[in-house]
Amino acid sequence: GSMITLPLYTLVLAGTSLALFFLVVLMVLFRSPVMFLKKHGRLHRLFGLGYFLWMLLGFLDAFLRVSKINRVVYDSILGVLGVVLTLTAAFEFQHKNVKNVASGTLDKHATVTHAEMIEHSFYQALNLLQIWFIHSIHPEMSLVLRLALAFAVTAPWLLRDFFPVHKFSDNYNKIDEKSSSLIRLLYRLKKYQYVFYKHFLLHGLNISISIYGHALGNQQFFRLYWMSLNASYVMEFFLQTLVKKGYMGQSTLLFLQKILMLEATLVSLYVLQHVSIVVAMTSLVLNFTNRKHDVANTALILVVLFSVHHYNLFEITQIW
């Protein structure tokens, strides 16, 4: 596989950034703990508090290696909490009448819609399936079984169209008078970040570790990556709520978003050491030539890899 050696300080910088992120959010929460006790949307608030504390434990485990917790159990609970959190938000707050120029949460005047929350639950469920897959892969497992698992973890994309779809591009193509060019630029970056995530860190990573048999689930850099991915998913909504309710300023939200983006970029560099550039680029090209067919595209790559292995054309673990 493609291996890049990264200096240790990048890991320290990433961990420190995430620590700063959690510290700022904790300070905001300590100032107004009453936000978790209000009646409206109580279930969502309590799950939110539980999720945040559970994330904090996971971060301490990733950065300081303090807990003796079984990480498969930890990640399963984190994944389930993520899905439940999204669904309780959708059903307790509804927001069915909210109309924004586009989707997203970076604009101060934007409000998360019911459809965005439901869409989000799909990605939370994908997270849970991906982490189960990552924990299941190990070098002793047969290659065929690993490739079969990679197909199985991609299969839920067949259900994607049952969930609402929001385009990132709406945020910078539809000009919202109340928005700004900085916000539009951040959304454009988010679009590229999403496309990169999907083909390098989702499909690309899944297929690559099924080729190489790399066991990543317990490695420190991966733990930091997994915490920051989950933080990025949930915090985007949570931070916007804090701004809306006056618990925190918009400038703090953008500061926290920038820290999270920096930190997530740093730790993803470590994860990318385990991703085949050839596989990820093939997935990306197929995405643009055969749109909305994630399962078929991934299956095609897996079938080619299986054939190469089966007919001994070359050693697929040497794919760069």
Side-chain angles (χ1 to χ4, degrees), residues 62-249:
F63 195 35
L64 307 171
R65 313 298 266 175
V66 288
S67 77
K68 293 282 175 281
I69 192 162
N70 176 317
R71 296 200 177 95
V72 180
V73 173
Y74 174 85
D75 289 332
S76 300
I77 293 172
L78 184 70
V80 169
L81 281 175
V83 175
V84 170
L85 192 58
T86 316
L87 294 176
T88 52
F91 294 106
E92 284 195 308
F93 294 113
Q94 295 289 328
H95 286 193
K96 283 185 175 172
N97 301 320
V98 172
K99 294 280 183 287
N100 297 321
V101 170
S103 67
T105 56
L106 293 179
D107 282 304
K108 190 174 180 179
H109 59 273
T111 298
V112 183
T113 64
H114 181 75
E116 280 174 302
M117 296 181 217
I118 297 293
E119 178 184 35
H120 198 72
S121 67
F122 174 78
Y123 288 98
Q124 284 288 5
L126 275 189
N127 258 8
L128 179 57
L129 295 176
Q130 187 184 23
I131 198 64
W132 282 342
F133 168 76
I134 288 169
H135 279 302
S136 71
I137 296 292
H138 55 85
E140 291 76 46
M141 182 185 275
S142 79
L143 179 79
V144 177
L145 181 55
R146 294 199 306 253
L147 293 175
L149 284 173
F151 176 75
V153 80
T154 312
W157 279 90
L158 290 170
L159 305 174
R160 180 65 188 94
D161 284 345
F162 290 101
F163 292 80
V165 177
H166 295 91
K167 291 180 178 171
F168 279 106
S169 54
D170 287 349
N171 292 293
Y172 48 83
N173 290 338
K174 294 181 180 176
I175 300 299
D176 181 350
E177 297 303 322
K178 295 189 213 157
S179 192
S180 67
S181 50
L182 167 70
I183 298 289
R184 283 195 284 275
L185 173 67
L186 282 175
Y187 274 123
R188 202 175 276 272
L189 286 175
K190 271 189 172 297
K191 161 76 175 178
Y192 297 141
Q193 201 180 25
Y194 169 71
V195 170
F196 179 79
Y197 155 76
K198 187 174 159 187
H199 298 288
F200 283 77
L201 296 165
L202 185 68
H203 301 325
L205 179 64
N206 291 348
I207 298 167
S208 300
I209 63 172
S210 71
I211 300 171
Y212 305 137
H214 290 170
L216 297 187
N218 283 313
Q219 295 191 24
Q220 184 171 23
F221 71 84
F222 181 78
R223 299 308 307 163
L224 277 172
Y225 164 73
W226 196 246
M227 296 324 296
S228 58
L229 179 71
N230 282 278
S232 305
Y233 266 47
V234 170
M235 288 298 161
E236 187 170 325
F237 294 95
F238 181 49
L239 298 180
Q240 195 219 22
T241 305
L242 293 180
V243 172
K244 277 247 181 278
K245 301 297 178 190
Y247 296 121
M248 183 176 86

Side-chain angles (χ1 to χ4, degrees), residues 40-73:
H40 179 51
R42 176 164 287 167
L43 203 57
H44 178 69
R45 291 172 197 273
L46 293 175
F47 271 109
L49 178 61
Y51 186 90
F52 184 75
L53 295 174
W54 194 245
M55 275 219 70
L56 209 50
L57 173 68
F59 165 66
L60 291 171
D61 169 53
F63 195 35
L64 307 171
R65 313 298 266 175
V66 288
S67 77
K68 293 282 175 281
I69 192 162
N70 176 317
R71 296 200 177 95
V72 180
V73 173

Side-chain angles (χ1 to χ4, degrees), residues 266-287:
L266 286 172
V267 284
S268 64
L269 289 175
Y270 278 85
V271 179
L272 288 171
Q273 294 178 85
H274 299 269
V275 175
S276 156
I277 303 297
V278 175
V279 164
M281 289 305 292
T282 307
S283 176
L284 183 64
V285 169
L286 285 173
N287 178 67

